[in-house]
């Protein structure tokens, strides 16, 4: 098991959505993230500002981070 099992939060803008999420983070990086089992992007639109809770490591292309929760940010 990885030592990074804790959930983390990142804020960004939905750049693309589909079977996965492409998030443009606040620091201008694009992050591809898998959707967790019960995660749906229904009700979200490309361009929405969101707060994403995820497990894994951003930028790790071999082990894509997994979204565990997503909500619109204020």
């Amino acid at each position: 098991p990885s030592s990074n099992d804790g959930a983390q939060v990142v804020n960004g803008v939905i750049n693309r959505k589909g079977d996965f999420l492409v998030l443009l983070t606040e620091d201008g990086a694009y992050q591809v993230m898998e959707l967790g089992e019960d995660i749906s992007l229904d009700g979200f639109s490309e361009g929405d500002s969101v707060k994403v809770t995820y497990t894994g490591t951003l930028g790790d292309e071999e082990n894509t981070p997994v979204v565990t929760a997503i909500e619109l940010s204020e």
Side-chain angles (χ1 to χ4, degrees):
S2 79
S3 58
N4 190 3
D5 292 325
Q8 301 176 80
V9 173
V10 62
N11 291 295
V13 173
I14 296 176
N15 180 254
R16 279 182 59 195
K17 56 174 242 182
D19 298 332
F20 54 90
L21 170 67
V22 180
L23 190 72
L24 177 58
T25 64
E26 291 174 315
D27 58 7
Y30 290 95
Q31 300 290 346
V32 176
M33 307 176 88
E34 289 182 31
L35 302 178
E37 273 184 42
D38 298 323
I39 302 301
S40 167
L41 296 178
D42 292 348
F44 294 95
S45 302
E46 292 172 1
D48 282 351
S49 294
V50 291
K51 181 170 94 176
V52 177
T53 306
Y54 66 95
T55 58
T57 304
L58 292 180
D60 184 342
E61 292 178 12
E62 290 181 18
N63 299 292
T64 311
V66 177
V67 176
T68 57
I70 183 169
E71 60 185 290
L72 290 172
S73 54
E74 299 301 316

